[in-house]
Amino acid sequence: MRELTVDLGERSYPIYIGQGILNNIAGLFERHKLSRKSPLLVITDDEVAPLHLERVMTRLQEGGFAASACVVPAGEPTKSLAQLEGIVTAALEAGLDRSSAIVALGGGVVGDLAGFAAASFMRGIRFVQIPTTILAHDSSVGGKVAVNHPMAKNIIGAFHQPELVLFDIDTLLTLPPRQVKAGLSEVIKHGLIWDADFTQWCDDNADKLLALDPEALSYALYTGCKVKAIVVSQDERENDLRAILNLGHTIGHALEAVAGYGELLHGEAIAIGMVGAAKLAQQFGYADSIHTITKNLFIKYGLPVSIPAHLDTDSIMSAMMYDKKFKEGMMVYIIPTEIGKVEIRKDVTVDQVRGIVEHLKKEG
Amino acid sequence: MRELTVDLGERSYPIYIGQGILNNIAGLFERHKLSRKSPLLVITDDEVAPLHLERVMTRLQEGGFAASACVVPAGEPTKSLAQLEGIVTAALEAGLDRSSAIVALGGGVVGDLAGFAAASFMRGIRFVQIPTTILAHDSSVGGKVAVNHPMAKNIIGAFHQPELVLFDIDTLLTLPPRQVKAGLSEVIKHGLIWDADFTQWCDDNADKLLALDPEALSYALYTGCKVKAIVVSQDERENDLRAILNLGHTIGHALEAVAGYGELLHGEAIAIGMVGAAKLAQQFGYADSIHTITKNLFIKYGLPVSIPAHLDTDSIMSAMMYDKKFKEGMMVYIIPTEIGKVEIRKDVTVDQVRGIVEHLKKEG
């Protein structure tokens, strides 16, 4: 079992990564002082529930915890205020109090929704993340929780740090291949923004990761979480540094919105976005090799590197206008300056981005 | 103009109280570094809008601020997730960014809803409170913001402190008499929990306050806000001391829920609740005079001191079971120990509370 800490003063918390961790969930909850007197509410979705819910509930009950479950539909549309209201209904019916915790068992959708429920129920109760996808190694660390609005993704949310994050490698072994690839896209991102050695490691170990080798997966998730933890510790509320985590996300979010949530997976959309950012880097005088390496790496992982031709450029651009990465009318953009390093530029024009989008529609 | 500060370290903010201060709203916004580059969104309701919105918008525009307005229906049902979604739509359409602020112009409903919108839009933007009721002197200070769930009041919310609070006495002069009385109930509460001299002053100056004498009103609001500010500074997130602000609220909230939001005004419901808490104090051996003084004071202000006979005791008790003031199954209750002083008791039984509810149905 690997362990690391997200260092945020009194809001610090541990991340545990390893095979079979969920069998000891009650022990870990006890170690981190979750209350046996106050009911827990486990939120999961209807794809994860048949795979993992019974084991989690049983282990909690055996360990003396009172837990109820609330199952939501799988998929991005679940990140809604309507589902939030449903969770609050379940929380009230289960008798949650201010010492209770909400437990997110699932991918990023469940984590974001359950996390925002924990942030806002009774103005904030405790929260545990149990990510069951590779992608969620990213969203489960750092405390950004949110639901979507019909006009914009993640626009209604909070910063609410979990008490702990439990990453059981066993839950990843049944993921469909497309989900695996898309999840690894965020893992690779953590290398690209912070750690050139890890990027090289990802290049060398693509076969193992794609084959879900437990040791390789555990190391990759540990390293991805570590980069995220370092960045978040230095800038919890995204005032500056944390923005680097958004590499590939300006175009990525817009593509998801225009393609319709679900057609293009998040990890796929940001892979295209990261190739775009590398292309933009060329315009600012950085090495052409950044683009080549980035693009080839994603190709090696079976991820898309260009924008599907049927997506309209104007629609993509206007989806971006609602994005959070605009500040006082100026566009903030994360671009790589070398492999393992990025910078936050505030001088990127809308025309430059449009040029990149048009390029990405032709080639990556 | 009176001024005081809510002392919360880097989240400290000023409260301005006086006649005509909205005429200088742009100057005060400038002093407190609200951005002229990022659009503001003013939230108000359809009762307040005809009275004050035009002046506020004009003064802001004259002062160089870009402001849009969003008008919601007046009344407690507006504190809903559906209205929150509507405000987020308006915020996106108005182009709000992370440097924008949401301005609440209205009573507690508008303040709570707009405040939760500010807390959650883009995971938190700045927020200004412009209370236009006496009651809102309470809710506009301290950062507790929330919407209701069909099963429970204020159950979905956040702690989100405003940048500043502007209390223009002029906006209070058109309030209907029932609203005035109900608002003064919270003012009196601040005396009862903290300041015996101010309680005596409220007893001596009832005529002036009920007649909306501007100087008396300004002093009463200043003193009420000061008590609130002291308590909030010591316990921002209601871990202990802040609970004393809930004097009268355990029964009060239940009465509001059972009577249907609106039939019994918040200030009326908590007046009854405070008389009940004083009655409960007798059972713990405190002076009978607390109850007599409390009850007579509310009678002097024309406020109810007993529970309307048609409200069912069982319904009141079960409404309380969903309330936030239960912790690990135990009931937390605020009772007065003398005039100007309260204690937080954790040993109050449900049976004792039921006894008080039954007593309040017969007499105050």
Side-chain angles (χ1 to χ4, degrees):
Chain A
M1 185 168 79
R2 289 180 160 91
E3 183 181 342
L4 63 93
T5 300
V6 184
D7 189 3
L8 287 166
E10 61 180 16
R11 287 185 301 287
S12 295
Y13 54 94
I15 304 171
Y16 296 96
I17 302 166
Q19 271 196 283
I21 287 181
L22 286 182
N23 292 325
N24 187 31
I25 184 171
L28 290 165
F29 275 29
E30 177 165 11
R31 186 189 300 176
H32 293 286
K33 302 199 188 333
L34 285 141
S35 170
R36 284 193 170 85
K37 290 189 203 153
S38 299
L40 301 168
L41 182 65
V42 179
I43 314 292
T44 191
D45 70 34
D46 55 13
E47 287 177 4
V48 175
L51 300 170
H52 309 298
L53 183 59
E54 193 184 331
R55 179 162 63 117
V56 166
M57 298 302 279
T58 304
R59 292 283 183 271
L60 285 172
Q61 276 144 19
E62 287 169 356
F65 288 92
S68 303
C70 174
V71 180
V72 297
E76 188 76 24
T78 283
K79 278 177 61 174
S80 67
L81 290 175
Q83 290 293 340
L84 173 70
E85 185 160 295
I87 290 178
V88 171
T89 304
L92 289 167
E93 286 174 351
L96 266 65
D97 60 43
R98 292 178 66 180
S99 302
S100 289
I102 285 178
V103 179
L105 173 69
V109 166
V110 164
D112 282 5
L113 171 66
F116 187 49
S120 51
F121 183 69
M122 293 186 171
R123 299 194 179 86
I125 62 169
R126 297 204 280 171
F127 172 45
V128 177
Q129 289 267 25
I130 307 180
T132 62
T133 65
I134 296 171
L135 186 68
H137 90 282
D138 180 53
S139 56
S140 64
V141 176
K144 279 172 83 167
V145 294
V147 297
N148 301 327
H149 178 279
M151 285 162 72
K153 206 169 138 87
N154 293 328
I155 203 78
I156 305 171
F159 290 93
H160 190 62
Q161 302 294 342
E163 297 293 308
L164 72 163
V165 180
L166 303 182
F167 221 133
D168 190 335
I169 300 295
D170 282 344
T171 63
L172 309 174
L173 304 181
T174 49
L175 288 173
R178 189 177 168 201
Q179 294 280 355
V180 170
K181 292 175 201 167
L184 291 170
S185 176
E186 285 275 13
V187 174
I188 293 166
K189 182 201 78 182
H190 286 121
L192 289 173
I193 63 172
W194 199 263
D195 188 337
D197 291 343
F198 180 57
T199 306
Q200 185 59 53
W201 184 93
C202 288
D203 200 28
D204 297 340
N205 291 273
D207 290 347
K208 279 189 186 173
L209 285 177
L210 290 168
L212 296 171
D213 173 80
E215 177 51 28
L217 257 186
S218 174
Y219 175 74
L221 292 169
Y222 171 80
T223 310
C225 288
K226 196 171 67 181
V227 171
K228 177 106 188 218
I230 291 167
V231 173
V232 167
S233 307
Q234 289 179 40
D235 176 26
E236 184 178 4
R237 295 182 73 97
E238 196 166 344
N239 293 315
D240 38 63
L241 180 68
R242 188 164 176 161
I244 70 171
L245 297 169
N246 291 323
L247 177 69
H249 282 60
T250 302
I251 287 177
H253 278 166
L255 294 180
E256 285 181 275
V258 173
Y261 296 137
E263 183 192 322
L264 210 53
L265 298 179
H266 178 69
E268 294 167 349
I270 64 159
I272 300 167
M274 285 187 267
V275 173
K279 193 78 201 164
L280 194 54
Q282 290 179 343
Q283 296 183 16
F284 286 97
Y286 296 111
D288 289 351
S289 61
I290 303 171
H291 176 251
T292 324
I293 292 171
T294 303
K295 184 172 164 179
N296 289 339
L297 191 52
F298 287 123
I299 291 172
K300 195 169 197 175
Y301 276 82
L303 286 158
V305 295
S306 59
I307 297 178
H310 70 280
L311 299 183
D312 175 56
T313 302
D314 286 338
S315 307
I316 294 167
M317 293 309 295
S318 71
M320 249 180 260
M321 303 309 284
Y322 282 126
D323 200 282
K324 297 181 296 297
K325 277 148 225 85
F326 293 77
K327 190 163 180 174
E328 295 180 358
M330 292 297 288
M331 190 161 218
V332 179
Y333 217 97
I334 314 305
I335 67 166
T337 58
E338 58 186 89
I339 294 297
K341 228 169 189 171
V342 291
E343 66 179 4
I344 304 170
R345 292 202 79 104
K346 298 183 178 179
D347 58 351
V348 174
T349 66
V350 175
D351 283 349
Q352 278 178 301
V353 180
R354 175 179 281 273
I356 294 295
V357 167
E358 279 165 358
H359 172 86
L360 288 170
K361 289 184 72 174
K362 284 174 280 180
E363 50 178 315
Chain B
M1 185 168 77
R2 289 180 161 89
E3 182 181 344
L4 62 95
T5 300
V6 183
D7 189 2
L8 286 167
E10 62 180 15
R11 288 185 301 286
S12 295
Y13 54 93
I15 304 170
Y16 295 96
I17 301 166
Q19 270 196 285
I21 57 181
L22 286 182
N23 293 325
N24 186 32
I25 184 170
L28 291 166
F29 275 29
E30 178 166 12
R31 185 188 302 177
H32 294 285
K33 303 197 186 336
L34 285 142
S35 169
R36 283 192 170 84
K37 289 188 205 154
S38 299
L40 301 169
L41 181 64
V42 179
I43 315 291
T44 191
D45 70 35
D46 55 14
E47 287 178 5
V48 174
L51 300 170
H52 309 298
L53 183 58
E54 193 184 331
R55 178 162 63 117
V56 166
M57 298 302 280
T58 305
R59 293 283 182 273
L60 284 172
Q61 277 145 18
E62 287 170 356
F65 288 91
S68 303
C70 174
V71 180
V72 296
E76 187 76 24
T78 283
K79 279 176 62 174
S80 67
L81 289 174
Q83 290 293 339
L84 172 70
E85 185 159 296
I87 290 178
V88 172
T89 304
L92 288 167
E93 286 173 352
L96 267 65
D97 60 42
R98 291 178 66 180
S99 303
S100 289
I102 286 179
V103 179
L105 173 68
V109 166
V110 164
D112 282 4
L113 171 67
F116 187 50
S120 51
F121 183 70
M122 293 185 171
R123 299 195 179 86
I125 62 170
R126 296 204 281 173
F127 172 45
V128 177
Q129 287 268 24
I130 308 181
T132 62
T133 65
I134 296 170
L135 187 68
H137 89 282
D138 180 54
S139 57
S140 64
V141 175
K144 280 172 82 169
V145 295
V147 297
N148 301 327
H149 178 280
M151 284 161 73
K153 207 171 139 87
N154 292 327
I155 203 78
I156 305 170
F159 289 93
H160 191 62
Q161 302 294 343
E163 297 293 309
L164 72 162
V165 181
L166 303 182
F167 221 133
D168 189 335
I169 300 295
D170 282 344
T171 63
L172 308 176
L173 304 182
T174 49
L175 288 174
R178 191 179 166 198
Q179 293 280 357
V180 170
K181 292 175 202 168
L184 292 170
S185 175
E186 286 274 15
V187 174
I188 293 166
K189 181 201 78 180
H190 286 120
L192 289 174
I193 63 171
W194 200 263
D195 187 337
D197 291 344
F198 180 56
T199 306
Q200 184 61 52
W201 184 92
C202 288
D203 199 29
D204 296 340
N205 290 274
D207 289 349
K208 280 189 184 170
L209 286 177
L210 290 168
L212 295 171
D213 173 80
E215 177 50 28
L217 256 187
S218 174
Y219 175 73
L221 291 170
Y222 172 79
T223 310
C225 288
K226 196 171 67 180
V227 171
K228 177 106 189 217
I230 291 167
V231 173
V232 167
S233 310
Q234 290 180 38
D235 175 26
E236 183 177 7
R237 294 183 74 95
E238 195 166 343
N239 292 315
D240 37 61
L241 181 68
R242 187 165 176 162
I244 71 171
L245 297 168
N246 291 323
L247 177 68
H249 283 59
T250 303
I251 287 177
H253 277 166
L255 294 180
E256 286 182 273
V258 173
Y261 297 136
E263 182 192 323
L264 209 54
L265 299 178
H266 180 68
E268 294 167 348
I270 63 158
I272 300 167
M274 285 187 265
V275 174
K279 193 76 200 166
L280 194 53
Q282 291 179 343
Q283 294 182 17
F284 286 98
Y286 296 111
D288 290 351
S289 62
I290 303 170
H291 175 252
T292 323
I293 292 170
T294 303
K295 184 171 165 180
N296 288 339
L297 190 52
F298 287 123
I299 290 172
K300 197 168 194 175
Y301 276 82
L303 285 158
V305 294
S306 60
I307 297 178
H310 71 280
L311 298 183
D312 175 55
T313 302
D314 286 339
S315 306
I316 295 167
M317 294 308 296
S318 71
M320 250 179 257
M321 304 309 286
Y322 283 126
D323 199 283
K324 297 182 296 296
K325 276 149 224 84
F326 292 76
K327 188 164 181 173
E328 296 182 357
M330 293 294 291
M331 189 164 220
V332 178
Y333 216 99
I334 315 304
I335 66 166
T337 58
E338 58 186 87
I339 295 296
K341 226 167 191 172
V342 291
E343 66 178 3
I344 304 170
R345 292 200 79 103
K346 298 182 179 180
D347 59 350
V348 174
T349 66
V350 175
D351 283 349
Q352 278 178 303
V353 180
R354 175 179 281 272
I356 293 296
V357 167
E358 279 167 357
H359 172 87
L360 288 170
K361 290 185 71 172
K362 282 174 283 181
E363 51 178 316

